[in-house]
Amino acid sequence: MLYIFAFSLIVVALFFMLVSLIRRIVTFNEAQKPFQELLDNTNIGYCKYKLRDGVILEANKGFVEMLNINMSVKNVIGKSLSELIIYVQEEDNVREIIKTRGALKNYEYHFKTLNGKEKCLLMNAYLNKDSHTRENVVEALVEDITEERLSYEAMVESEERYKKLFMNSGDIVVIYKKDNSRIEEINPMTEIILGYNEEELVGYSFENLFHPTSRKILNECQKDIMFRGSCNLDAVVVCKNGNYLNMGVTLSTFEHKEETLVMAIMKDISSLVKSREEEVKRKNEMEDFWKASLAREERIKDLRREIDESGQETKEPEDGHEAK
């Protein structure tokens, strides 16, 4: 009888323990719902996977969408990461780092989707123990930064291309601040053509490179670029040795690090201006010659007319006899 009573107590205790466990699980799941809903409605991906083999234990919708696979969250659970992505880094590299350090912060993880698209995720991961199996697991929050990375790489490529053009240009290229006209940077050709070195020009007023007669049109042009973004002008620039050069100048604005800068590209057109002046001179000489020719023709006509009139006065009578 005593054994039956003891057994009944054990059964009742186990029952209450089971009820308590179920209640805790339900309570935990209820507490997790807001967190899960928050994750499902953000661009943050969440996943939990085994450190040993990368088998996914938990994931949210955001994580699955980042993989670009036509699968539900339920279907992803139990699959290894190697089945869902194409590695472009060593498969175990990230897991080894996490195992060694215990965490991974702001790590850029590159991989390819199963359809070959390159992706980049910003990962923050931590090493934990599974509460049930006591096995090492990784919990990670990831953010898709593929577009940002592509934009950054395009910007870097553009800057490198610009830098190459800037350094190798056969024309003068000067970059200066829009607000105070202070020179920020020059290319090597500026030093060669104008005779100034970089230390002499950086911080120097861009306007002071020009002859006083050209500064007025330069200032007007700089006002125009506030509305038009760019403008062109012909101006006279003063070299370090005092020589004057006629320049065709193109000014254009651009934004860099939240500051408006102006890029001036200046082409030496002195020979062109000289050719134009010589052409104008030749044209004027031709016009003077033409006018002189016309005047000479008119003078010849006048002389002929005078001769004809003089001949008429001395002409003999038609019968050939002199008057008596």
Side-chain angles (χ1 to χ4, degrees), residues 4-22:
I4 294 174
F5 179 73
F7 179 75
S8 300
L9 288 176
I10 292 172
V11 170
V12 171
L14 289 173
F15 173 76
F16 279 108
M17 287 176 64
L18 180 60
V19 169
S20 177
L21 178 61
I22 292 172

Side-chain angles (χ1 to χ4, degrees), residues 189-232:
M189 193 56 64
T190 305
E191 298 181 81
I192 294 171
I193 295 177
L194 298 185
Y196 296 98
N197 58 45
E198 187 174 11
E199 290 74 18
E200 291 175 303
L201 288 185
V202 172
Y204 191 71
S205 175
F206 177 69
E207 296 176 0
N208 290 341
L209 290 176
F210 292 82
H211 191 276
T213 57
S214 296
R215 291 177 191 172
K216 183 177 180 180
I217 188 171
L218 173 66
N219 289 330
E220 291 174 354
C221 192
Q222 290 187 119
K223 292 176 183 177
D224 287 344
I225 60 176
M226 293 178 63
F227 306 100
R228 295 162 52 189
S230 64
C231 69
N232 300 287

Side-chain angles (χ1 to χ4, degrees), residues 44-268:
I44 302 297
Y46 167 77
C47 71
K48 179 180 176 181
Y49 58 89
K50 295 180 181 180
L51 179 67
R52 177 170 49 86
D53 53 15
V55 172
I56 296 175
L57 302 174
E58 295 179 24
N60 75 331
K61 185 171 67 174
F63 175 75
V64 175
E65 289 177 349
M66 291 176 192
L67 302 182
N68 290 134
I69 51 177
N70 189 23
M71 296 177 68
S72 65
V73 174
K74 290 182 179 179
N75 291 334
V76 165
I77 304 300
K79 290 188 177 294
S80 171
L81 287 169
S82 60
E83 300 178 70
L84 304 174
I85 65 174
I86 299 172
Y87 290 99
V88 296
Q89 303 172 205
E90 290 294 330
E91 181 177 348
D92 298 329
N93 186 45
V94 172
R95 295 204 293 271
E96 283 297 322
I97 295 174
I98 295 174
K99 182 179 179 181
T100 303
R101 299 180 184 175
L104 202 61
K105 295 184 179 181
N106 296 326
Y107 181 83
E108 290 190 13
Y109 186 74
H110 296 262
F111 67 95
K112 286 185 179 181
T113 63
L114 295 181
N115 58 11
K117 182 180 179 180
E118 293 187 3
K119 299 280 283 188
C120 180
L121 303 183
L122 187 66
M123 175 187 291
N124 284 279
Y126 303 88
L127 182 63
N128 286 321
K129 290 281 186 182
D130 187 273
S131 57
H132 300 293
T133 64
R134 307 307 299 169
E135 185 178 7
N136 285 331
V137 295
V138 177
E139 290 191 75
L141 290 175
V142 292
E143 182 180 359
D144 191 343
I145 59 169
T146 304
E147 294 301 321
E148 290 84 346
R149 171 52 61 180
L150 291 175
S151 298
Y152 173 76
E153 290 174 354
M155 181 188 70
V156 170
E157 183 180 351
S158 177
E159 286 187 353
E160 289 177 351
R161 193 184 308 116
Y162 151 76
K163 195 70 177 178
K164 186 180 293 184
L165 291 172
F166 176 82
M167 297 302 292
N168 298 326
S169 174
D171 300 321
I172 293 174
V173 184
V174 178
I175 295 175
Y176 64 93
K177 291 184 178 181
K178 175 67 181 68
D179 57 353
N180 59 16
S181 295
R182 297 297 174 187
I183 295 174
E184 291 281 293
E185 194 172 358
I186 65 170
N187 72 334
M189 193 56 64
T190 305
E191 298 181 81
I192 294 171
I193 295 177
L194 298 185
Y196 296 98
N197 58 45
E198 187 174 11
E199 290 74 18
E200 291 175 303
L201 288 185
V202 172
Y204 191 71
S205 175
F206 177 69
E207 296 176 0
N208 290 341
L209 290 176
F210 292 82
H211 191 276
T213 57
S214 296
R215 291 177 191 172
K216 183 177 180 180
I217 188 171
L218 173 66
N219 289 330
E220 291 174 354
C221 192
Q222 290 187 119
K223 292 176 183 177
D224 287 344
I225 60 176
M226 293 178 63
F227 306 100
R228 295 162 52 189
S230 64
C231 69
N232 300 287
L233 71 148
D234 290 347
V236 178
V237 173
V238 183
C239 298
K240 184 177 180 179
N241 61 9
N243 290 341
Y244 296 159
L245 292 177
N246 291 284
M247 292 284 180
V249 183
T250 299
L251 303 179
S252 56
T253 60
F254 65 98
E255 299 296 323
H256 181 66
K257 295 181 180 179
E258 301 182 354
E259 186 175 25
T260 301
L261 300 177
V262 181
M263 180 168 64
I265 300 176
M266 300 191 286
K267 182 181 288 293
D268 186 356

